[in-house]
């Protein structure tokens, strides 16, 4: 278990956006099974874009007071954050879109923000697809969360609406 130093600086607490530190990331979960997991430079490149997209859309973790993308870099929470995987070829529903899967693992199994954070991330990524190069980003919360089934069902409904052409599902007041 990592115990943070009381007077640690950001340099000691947070990894850099160009560092791929699998020991500071959650293990990929069921949602990413069968897809091509992003690692090394691919993970870092998409995560830098995520930081910018979350900044543009205001996807912030209120508990920590920072852009949610920064959670991946926070060495105090090595089992929390985002993991990404690219869906190879056609998706299970026959969709040939270029789809990225993003699985969020919260810091605790009872994280009260998991619903709003994953919905916010879904809307941010899918509202600014021109900034990341995928046709769609499919989002899920890891099964450790006590409400993962309900949250993921809501995210699947939102994704269905997006696929059905309801573009307002990913809109936000921010750009």
């Amino acid at each position: 278990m990592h115990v943070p130093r009381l007077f640690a600086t950001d340099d000691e607490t947070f990894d850099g956006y160009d560092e791929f530190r699998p020991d500071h990331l959650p293990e990929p979960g069921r949602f990413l099974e069968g897809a091509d997991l992003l690692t090394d430079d691919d993970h870092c490149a998409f995560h830098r874009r995520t930081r910018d997209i979350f900044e543009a859309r205001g996807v912030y973790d209120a508990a920590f007071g920072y852009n949610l993308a920064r959670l991946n870099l926070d060495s105090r929470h090595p089992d929390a954050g985002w993991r990404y995987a690219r869906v190879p070829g056609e998706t299970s529903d026959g969709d040939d879109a270029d789809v990225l899967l993003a699985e969020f693992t919260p810091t605790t199994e009872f994280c009260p923000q998991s619903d709003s954070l994953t919905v916010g991330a879904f809307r941010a990524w899918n509202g600014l697809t021109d900034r990341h190069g995928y046709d769609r980003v499919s989002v899920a919360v890891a099964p450790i969360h006590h409400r993962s089934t309900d949250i993921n069902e809501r995210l699947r409904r939102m994704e269905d609406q997006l696929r059905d052409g309801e573009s307002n599902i990913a809109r936000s007041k921010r750009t």
Side-chain angles (χ1 to χ4, degrees):
M1 182 171 130
H2 175 76
V3 179
R5 293 187 7 231
L6 181 59
F7 298 105
T9 66
D10 272 1
D11 291 341
E12 296 168 325
T13 304
F14 294 95
D15 301 326
Y17 278 95
D18 292 324
E19 294 179 73
F20 180 70
R21 298 282 310 268
D23 57 323
H24 288 185
L25 294 172
E27 287 294 318
R30 293 191 300 244
F31 186 66
L32 305 179
E33 285 179 6
D36 298 327
L37 190 66
L38 297 188
T39 59
D40 301 312
D41 291 340
D42 292 334
H43 173 92
C44 292
F46 187 80
H47 200 65
R48 282 190 304 273
R49 288 185 210 111
T50 292
R51 173 197 58 205
D52 296 342
I53 289 168
F54 285 4
E55 191 65 34
R57 290 294 180 101
V59 183
Y60 271 71
D61 186 314
F64 299 119
Y66 55 60
N67 178 318
L68 183 58
R70 197 162 192 216
L71 179 59
N72 273 41
L73 312 177
D74 193 333
S75 63
R76 298 169 296 183
H77 304 287
D79 297 324
W82 292 98
R83 291 305 300 263
Y84 312 110
R86 187 173 186 278
V87 176
E90 258 185 41
T91 59
S92 61
D93 61 2
D95 189 351
D96 64 356
D98 195 12
V99 178
L100 185 83
L101 305 178
E103 184 177 58
F104 176 67
T105 302
T107 56
T108 69
E109 62 190 32
F110 298 103
C111 173
Q113 295 185 84
S114 290
D115 187 22
S116 59
L117 291 173
T118 53
V119 167
F122 174 88
R123 288 182 173 153
W125 277 316
N126 290 297
L128 297 174
T129 55
D130 61 317
R131 295 195 189 181
H132 57 67
Y134 291 93
D135 296 327
R136 185 174 67 252
V137 178
S138 183
V139 179
V141 66
I144 68 149
H145 193 273
H146 76 288
R147 289 192 51 242
S148 64
T149 300
D150 294 337
I151 293 169
N152 290 334
E153 285 175 4
R154 178 179 183 196
L155 290 163
R156 295 298 66 80
R157 285 190 305 272
M158 290 175 65
E159 190 170 0
D160 288 345
Q161 290 174 322
L162 184 66
R163 267 196 304 263
D164 290 342
E166 294 182 37
S167 61
N168 66 332
I169 199 71
R171 275 198 201 134
S172 171
K173 293 180 182 175
R174 296 180 181 213
T175 55

